[in-house]
Amino acid sequence: MSTTQASPIDVPAGTRAPVEVTGEHPADDYPDGELALDLRWWSAANYLTAAQIYLRDNPLLRQPLRPEHIKPRLLGHWGTSPGLTMVHTLLNRLVRRTGTEVLMVTGPGHGGPAVLAGAYLDGTYSEVHPAVSADLAGLHRLVRQFSTPGGVSSHAGVHVPGSIHEGGELGYALLHAAGAAFDDPDLLVACVVGDGEAETGPLAASWRLPAFLDPGRDGAVLPILHLNGYKISGPTVLGRTSDDDVCRFLASQGWAPVVVAGDQPDHVFRALDAALSGARRTIADLQRRARAGQDVRPARWPAIVLRTPKGWTGPRTVDGVPVEGTQRSHQVPLANVRDDAGHRAQLAEWLRSYRPDEAFDADGRLVPELAALSPRGDLRLSASPRAGGPRFRVRPLPLPDLTDYALDLTGPGVLEHETTRPLGELLRDVITRTSRADGGGDFRLFSPDETASNRLGAVFEATDRCTQLPVLPGEEHLGPQGRVMEVLSEHLCEGWLEGYTLTGRHGLFATYEAFAMVAASMVVQHAKWLQLAATEPGRSPLPSLNVLLTSTCWRNDHNGFSHQGPGLIDTVAPLAPEVTRIWFPPDANSTLVVAEQCLTSRGQVNLVVVDKQQHLQYLTLDQARTHVAAGGSVWEWAGTEEPGRQRSEDPDVVLAAAGDVPTMEVLAAAQLLREHVPHLRVRVVNVVDLMGLLPPGEHPAAFTPERFAHLFTDSVDVVFAFHGHPRAIHPLLHGRPDIDRFHVRGFTEHGSTTTPFDMVVLNRMSRYHLALEALRRSRRVPEGGDRLARLCHAQLDRHRAHVVDALEDLPEIRTWTWHDPTRTDIEENR
């Protein structure tokens, strides 16, 4: 650890470490004239930050401040903002001096007005939003729009050019920064981490990044841990932790921290400039040596611990109560300025302390000497082409032909195969096709220690698990340039993938279905980002976020109830329909087709739910393509309707399935009905795209009324076997004809360490339950129905006795395959 300390700041006794000035340039290599200009730029940024929070008019205070100039609702966060504007100012300086390509990730995204101020001052915001022009009229729009109806939100969201991280829900900044740096060797990601955010679980795990970041092929992440001491209502843990202990913790995770602290701007600016320069020098040296073939592992990446007062340069006291340097400056330091003349006068004094008249000319334009401080073109922090802006480019994945991975079938429901294994072979070749000579590429696989378990192990024929840590003799598939990111944290896997796709690359997060819920809120937040980005000027379409849920609730029978949970489906289903898809491929070939569609899509959250275990296979590759494109099909070969039926001829009952295990149980139920009540007209429907159930206008993939009727009719009862919770289906069907006729069976939160068939029995979704429900809901009671009902009840009783005694399923269950004595060929799905 080393410390670049400026003037004293009020922190607990014993927190101060020995002073050691470090950096690429010594602290006195910051000429007074340059420092003075940077401080003026900082003041202009701070002025615009505060003005956005408070003002609706009179943006440069060229009139006496009156109540009507103040917004009626004061929304925003001042406390973190001066630190953010300082970092932005000095990163500008670093870029101007070195030409380094820098992406800034702002963890305290509630400091959105500070980030927006920087984007306005460097000209990017006006380029993207011409109405917010670089003059007095534009300044008026800038301040008026902030946190107001019809304006922009208070965080660093999609409306802020150069941002890939909103920072609303805390914890993910360093994850997104890491994802951005992976495979981008020329990029430096400066990531500001707030000390409130540092208390979250995902951020705490994020410090392990040095174990995965390869200086040979990746860019760099420079964490700036901003300790201003307080969150919204009290002190922070790290804010009250000594420098020594903070630095020891960071060092234990693989970082080489430097401390910068103080409350005198000129001193802190010099110290932080030296720290940034020194960090860049260290990073360049690490990367140079690694790319020359030297083994620099374990690399010690630089990090900066920055201590400045919360609400710095704002009101010191309000009504005699301390504000600067306390939690009271977190949001709006002066809250009653419209009605309290004293507060209003204090606000005017505070705002004028930034000397806006010296920063902006008579026309409201930034004066030339300050405008010159921003880097040029794409080197501006707010104009980075990596951040989804107008010059953002996504290289399409060179996907192989699926024919090379498809299973050959002689008929439906006969061959058993691990459904995800062909997908692993496809991903292996995607990795090969997208890999560069330096070990980088455009595709990574993220998984919590489950790649082989999830039957995706073929990828290890092309790459390794990524690690920068020592590899012991006898260990396999571990290496510094591995493209499989395995770490036992769903937060890290999800966040890294988000950062990777937010900067234009492609990937897949494969996880046990139940434990995907650990990162459920992250998926929600990413969907919100994609939803807003789709309509934001200057934002280009991003690669989709692809999540594979396997080791599913129905076949995690060996692990038990804790591993059985389809909750992420419930979480994603209600999200913005234009950016969400939930897929239930019934077999391996349809999984390949779904994967192809997901990997080539843009701006989506794709949830793919398919189990990894041995399952019956049903569709040829051509049939799978037709089925996936349609979103759902009538499987005529499984039903008892006459082929080529007329539109006026409806079945007696419809059996429908979404999911691999539900599909098998529906087919087995259909076979029972065929054998015991052959005159009952049964239609079998398989749904692969769950969003097709939504009414037209609710989702781009929604089945048309004609297609919906083709599948389910408009009046016949439907017995629907669903992979997830039954209650997830009815909200999707709302608005369709007579939804009370849909009778859904699914996972009802009954689980245990038991057999596969016992799982469907416990949740009342077995073939026998489905056959009984079909008899109950059929339009007519066919001859033989009572005998079949008695058989189903007897088989359920027999199962319950057998499974306890033999500890396995009945032989006829274990060996069941589809058999239709009347048809031997695979007919086309309709």
Side-chain angles (χ1 to χ4, degrees):
M1 179 199 74
S2 59
T3 301
T4 304
Q5 182 177 331
S7 59
I9 181 174
D10 200 11
V11 294
T15 61
R16 198 54 61 223
V19 177
E20 179 186 343
V21 176
T22 64
E24 184 176 79
H25 302 277
D28 59 3
D29 193 18
Y30 198 164
D32 291 345
E34 294 181 15
L35 174 60
L37 283 172
D38 283 338
L39 288 171
R40 287 178 60 194
W41 199 95
W42 182 52
S43 289
N46 287 338
Y47 176 82
L48 291 182
T49 300
Q52 289 177 82
I53 294 173
Y54 283 97
L55 301 182
R56 64 182 295 176
D57 203 351
N58 192 15
L60 291 177
L61 297 186
R62 290 179 176 172
Q63 306 168 37
L65 187 61
R66 298 192 298 269
E68 60 266 28
H69 298 152
I70 309 298
K71 291 173 179 172
R73 300 173 69 238
L74 300 179
L75 305 172
H77 296 76
W78 168 251
T80 189
S81 292
L84 296 178
T85 53
M86 177 178 64
V87 171
H88 195 138
T89 305
L90 289 173
L91 287 175
N92 280 347
R93 174 175 167 80
L94 181 72
V95 173
R96 291 196 317 271
R97 299 170 74 191
T98 65
T100 304
E101 298 176 75
V102 175
L103 180 68
M104 182 174 171
V105 172
T106 306
H110 51 273
V115 188
L116 190 51
Y120 181 79
L121 290 175
D122 72 17
T124 310
Y125 194 81
S126 297
E127 293 172 8
V128 176
H129 301 275
V132 187
S133 48
D135 54 22
L136 193 59
L139 281 171
H140 178 266
R141 291 188 179 94
L142 178 74
V143 300
R144 182 183 175 87
Q145 72 179 5
F146 180 77
S147 284
T148 57
V152 300
S153 68
S154 63
H155 287 68
V158 298
H159 63 283
V160 180
S163 176
I164 65 165
H165 176 84
E166 178 166 342
E169 184 172 285
L170 298 177
Y172 316 137
L174 203 50
L175 298 175
H176 289 165
F182 291 148
D183 294 318
D184 196 341
D186 298 324
L187 182 65
L188 169 61
V189 187
C191 180
V192 181
V193 176
D195 45 357
E197 180 177 25
E199 296 179 2
T200 65
L203 198 287
S206 301
W207 294 117
R208 297 165 190 158
L209 174 60
F212 300 92
L213 192 65
D214 178 18
R217 61 163 176 188
D218 296 329
V221 175
L222 175 60
I224 302 171
L225 178 58
H226 187 204
L227 304 180
N228 60 36
Y230 294 90
K231 41 190 183 281
I232 190 169
S233 60
T236 60
V237 173
L238 292 184
R240 293 292 172 89
T241 302
S242 71
D243 287 347
D244 282 341
D245 284 347
V246 171
C247 290
R248 274 194 290 265
F249 168 72
L250 294 178
S252 74
Q253 303 298 299
W255 304 95
V258 171
V259 176
V260 175
D263 55 12
Q264 296 300 311
D266 53 345
H267 294 162
V268 177
F269 263 63
R270 290 188 186 279
L272 183 56
D273 178 65
L276 290 170
S277 296
R280 179 191 171 276
R281 181 185 61 187
T282 300
I283 289 167
D285 182 63
L286 276 173
Q287 294 176 333
R288 177 188 56 78
R289 290 190 290 126
R291 294 167 193 180
Q294 296 183 37
D295 187 355
V296 298
R297 294 174 294 160
R300 288 281 176 180
W301 294 92
I304 297 172
V305 179
L306 175 64
R307 289 191 190 267
T308 59
K310 195 174 188 74
W312 198 17
T313 74
R316 292 181 181 272
T317 63
V318 176
D319 296 331
V321 177
V323 173
E324 183 188 34
T326 77
Q327 75 274 11
R328 299 180 188 91
S329 65
H330 181 81
Q331 293 177 308
V332 181
L334 291 159
N336 197 27
V337 289
R338 279 174 68 95
D339 300 324
D340 187 314
H343 282 196
R344 194 161 55 253
Q346 189 174 5
L347 173 62
E349 181 184 7
W350 169 27
L351 292 176
R352 288 196 170 98
S353 73
Y354 297 121
R355 300 182 178 179
D357 53 319
E358 298 180 8
F360 300 92
D361 65 16
D363 296 324
R365 299 182 182 277
L366 190 66
V367 297
E369 64 269 27
L370 298 188
L373 298 180
S374 295
R376 301 294 94 190
D378 289 349
L379 286 178
R380 291 171 294 174
L381 300 188
S382 305
S384 173
R386 295 165 168 86
R391 290 175 291 281
F392 179 80
R393 294 291 181 268
V394 176
R395 285 192 290 269
L397 281 177
L399 292 178
D401 188 339
L402 297 186
T403 305
D404 295 336
Y405 314 94
L407 299 179
D408 292 326
L409 306 183
T410 59
V414 178
L415 174 68
E416 277 197 338
H417 199 279
E418 293 167 317
T419 300
T420 55
R421 195 170 291 280
L423 174 61
E425 297 167 359
L426 171 67
L427 296 178
R428 171 199 62 202
D429 294 346
V430 169
I431 290 171
T432 298
R433 286 170 171 239
T434 58
S435 294
R436 303 190 308 255
D438 66 355
D442 292 323
F443 180 88
R444 290 201 187 197
L445 176 63
F446 303 81
S447 182
D449 191 32
E450 296 156 3
T451 303
S453 171
N454 289 333
R455 311 301 192 265
L456 304 177
V459 296
F460 296 124
E461 299 170 21
T463 189
D464 293 325
R465 297 175 178 89
C466 177
T467 182
Q468 308 304 313
L469 301 176
V471 178
L472 302 180
E475 293 179 331
E476 297 180 331
H477 307 308
L478 290 166
Q481 295 190 336
R483 307 199 58 72
V484 176
M485 310 302 291
E486 279 198 349
V487 59
L488 200 52
S489 166
E490 288 78 9
H491 286 130
L492 266 61
C493 292
E494 170 69 21
W496 286 347
L497 175 58
E498 288 176 3
Y500 201 62
T501 59
L502 284 164
T503 48
R505 283 74 60 79
H506 309 263
L508 175 71
F509 171 31
T511 180
Y512 281 22
E513 180 183 47
F515 302 143
M517 286 299 291
V518 173
S521 188
M522 300 180 71
V523 176
V524 171
Q525 294 297 325
H526 191 76
K528 291 175 184 288
W529 180 279
L530 294 176
Q531 177 187 354
L532 295 175
T535 58
E536 179 65 29
R539 288 280 176 180
S540 301
L542 296 169
S544 293
L545 181 81
N546 302 308
V547 181
L548 174 66
L549 302 183
T550 186
S551 296
T552 62
C553 57
W554 299 108
R555 292 304 310 274
N556 231 310
D557 41 82
H558 58 296
N559 276 317
F561 199 24
S562 64
H563 286 56
Q564 297 159 353
L568 193 62
I569 299 166
D570 303 325
T571 300
V572 172
L575 299 180
E578 62 268 28
V579 298
T580 53
R581 299 295 283 272
I582 305 178
W583 299 94
F584 291 94
D587 63 0
N589 286 341
S590 56
T591 298
L592 289 172
V593 177
V594 167
E596 181 182 61
Q597 178 152 332
C598 293
L599 292 172
T600 55
S601 66
R602 295 289 183 271
Q604 299 280 324
V605 172
N606 291 309
L607 207 60
V608 183
V609 187
V610 63
D611 190 59
K612 66 185 182 182
Q613 306 284 5
Q614 292 268 354
H615 288 274
L616 292 172
Q617 306 296 313
Y618 309 107
L619 304 179
T620 66
L621 182 60
D622 287 343
Q623 289 175 329
R625 289 192 183 281
T626 301
H627 184 47
V628 171
S633 305
V634 176
W635 286 8
E636 289 192 350
W637 52 268
T640 56
E641 297 178 281
E642 288 299 319
R645 63 187 184 280
Q646 299 299 313
R647 294 298 301 167
S648 60
E649 297 175 351
D650 279 339
D652 297 312
V653 69
V654 176
L655 290 178
D660 42 22
V661 170
T663 295
M664 182 174 70
E665 292 305 308
V666 158
L667 290 173
Q671 192 170 82
L672 285 169
L673 294 169
R674 175 193 296 274
E675 292 173 356
H676 294 277
V677 286
H679 300 295
L680 191 71
R681 294 194 302 274
V682 178
R683 180 179 301 176
V684 175
V685 173
N686 190 268
V687 175
V688 63
D689 185 352
L690 193 67
M691 298 294 99
L693 299 179
L694 284 164
E698 295 292 321
H699 195 283
F703 299 136
T704 65
E706 296 76 17
R707 182 67 184 171
F708 190 85
H710 173 82
L711 297 174
F712 302 110
T713 80
D714 286 328
S715 58
V716 174
D717 279 29
V718 180
V719 178
F720 199 124
F722 177 53
H723 173 92
H725 296 121
R727 60 180 175 268
I729 293 296
H730 287 287
L732 298 175
L733 292 168
H734 184 72
R736 293 292 191 178
D738 189 14
I739 62 172
D740 288 343
R741 65 193 173 94
F742 282 78
H743 312 284
V744 185
R745 298 295 180 103
F747 188 75
T748 56
E749 291 297 329
H750 291 86
S752 180
T753 302
T754 187
T755 65
F757 188 68
D758 197 43
M759 281 296 300
V760 293
V761 171
L762 288 171
N763 289 276
R764 301 177 62 81
M765 199 192 71
S766 75
R767 60 200 66 183
Y768 302 120
H769 290 99
L770 297 176
L772 288 167
E773 189 73 6
L775 293 173
R776 187 179 305 117
R777 303 297 180 178
S778 172
R779 286 183 163 188
R780 59 192 176 93
V781 180
E783 181 182 354
D786 290 343
R787 289 193 302 274
L788 175 56
R790 289 194 295 272
L791 172 65
C792 289
H793 286 296
Q795 282 293 91
L796 288 170
D797 291 340
R798 183 166 165 252
H799 158 76
R800 294 182 185 106
H802 178 85
V803 75
V804 172
D805 179 61
L807 309 182
E808 63 179 354
D809 288 323
L810 291 163
E812 60 266 37
I813 300 295
R814 299 197 312 272
T815 61
W816 182 87
T817 59
W818 172 258
H819 174 63
D820 176 7
T822 67
R823 298 173 188 170
T824 58
D825 60 322
I826 304 178
E827 299 183 29
E828 291 298 321
N829 302 314
R830 296 184 59 186

